[in-house]
Amino acid sequence: MLFAARHAGRVLHDTLMPYLTKLKNMEETKIVGGKQIEVKDSKSFKVVKKIADLMDNWYIDPILGVIPNVGDLVTPVFSLPFLYLSIFKVKSVALTLAMIYNILIDCALGMLPFWIGNILDFFNKSYKENYRLIVGYVEKDRNVIRAVNRKVTYLISMIVLLIAVIIGLIILIGKLIVWLG
């Protein structure tokens, strides 16, 4: 009787284990065309890594910011692949909020007048930070995930505040352009 119970338990374990392992790995993988592709091997992850490298290591972000009235409004477009990866691949609201916060900080700093924003853009590495957060989530880094999850309420309030600051900066820049004429 004991042997039969052990044997049944072993058969159940051997039968269910592959499915449990598959479920555990489902968070990290996507099925595309019948093949499993890990997030790190996905095309969007590689694009995000390249954008982070170009924008912050090769200083494309501050260089584009030098273009008057256009540069600081164009550079956030390069953050869209980061948001796509966060929303559709990693599927984390907290990560998405943290990345939106970093994007808005970068945008607000870049919009500061009298070349202050352009100088600060050289030191603010929002693309590298967003890439680090994505890697932390993909690799299941508990410190990164815990830090982001702890700051969700703060991030929401700061995002609202930053949107107000950016709108104020746009109005200020518009008035400054009219005044300088």
Side-chain angles (χ1 to χ4, degrees):
M1 181 80 155
L2 184 59
F3 174 76
R6 260 194 223 152
H7 181 68
R10 187 75 188 149
V11 169
L12 187 62
H13 175 270
D14 291 344
T15 305
L16 291 178
M17 198 49 144
Y19 296 106
L20 293 174
T21 305
K22 200 175 200 178
L23 280 174
K24 182 182 173 201
N25 293 334
M26 288 290 269
E27 296 176 353
E28 300 173 8
T29 59
K30 292 282 178 197
I31 298 175
V32 178
K35 297 180 182 177
Q36 287 187 352
I37 298 177
E38 290 191 29
V39 173
K40 277 188 148 182
D41 293 334
S42 69
K43 200 174 202 176
S44 54
F45 186 84
K46 292 174 183 172
V47 166
V48 162
K49 184 177 181 179
K50 189 67 172 175
I51 289 172
D53 182 48
L54 288 173
M55 295 301 275
D56 285 339
N57 291 341
W58 291 91
Y59 300 105
I60 301 298
D61 182 25
I63 291 169
L64 286 174
V66 173
I67 302 170
N69 304 324
V70 177
D72 294 315
L73 298 175
V74 170
T75 55
V77 172
F78 291 102
S79 296
L80 293 177
F82 290 83
L83 294 174
Y84 169 81
L85 195 63
S86 172
I87 294 167
F88 296 109
K89 300 275 186 179
V90 180
K91 297 181 181 176
S92 170
V93 173
L95 174 62
T96 304
L97 289 172
M99 290 179 19
I100 289 171
Y101 171 76
N102 290 336
I103 293 164
L104 291 174
I105 286 284
D106 185 54
C107 189
L109 287 176
M111 293 176 73
L112 293 174
F114 308 113
W115 296 91
I116 297 168
N118 295 338
I119 293 167
L120 291 176
D121 249 351
F122 277 96
F123 300 103
N124 182 40
K125 308 284 187 189
S126 67
Y127 293 94
K128 282 175 72 173
E129 176 62 14
N130 283 343
Y131 177 72
R132 185 188 70 78
L133 292 175
I134 289 171
V135 169
Y137 265 77
V138 169
E139 293 179 351
K140 309 277 189 242
D141 183 339
R142 290 182 184 182
N143 294 331
V144 170
I145 294 170
R146 197 174 310 129
V148 170
N149 287 340
R150 264 194 309 240
K151 295 194 287 186
V152 169
T153 307
Y154 169 77
L155 291 171
I156 291 171
S157 59
M158 289 307 295
I159 287 170
V160 171
L161 179 66
L162 283 168
I163 289 172
V165 167
I166 289 170
I167 290 170
L169 283 169
I170 290 171
I171 293 168
L172 176 70
I173 291 169
K175 289 184 177 188
L176 192 62
I177 289 171
V178 169
W179 183 68
L180 292 174

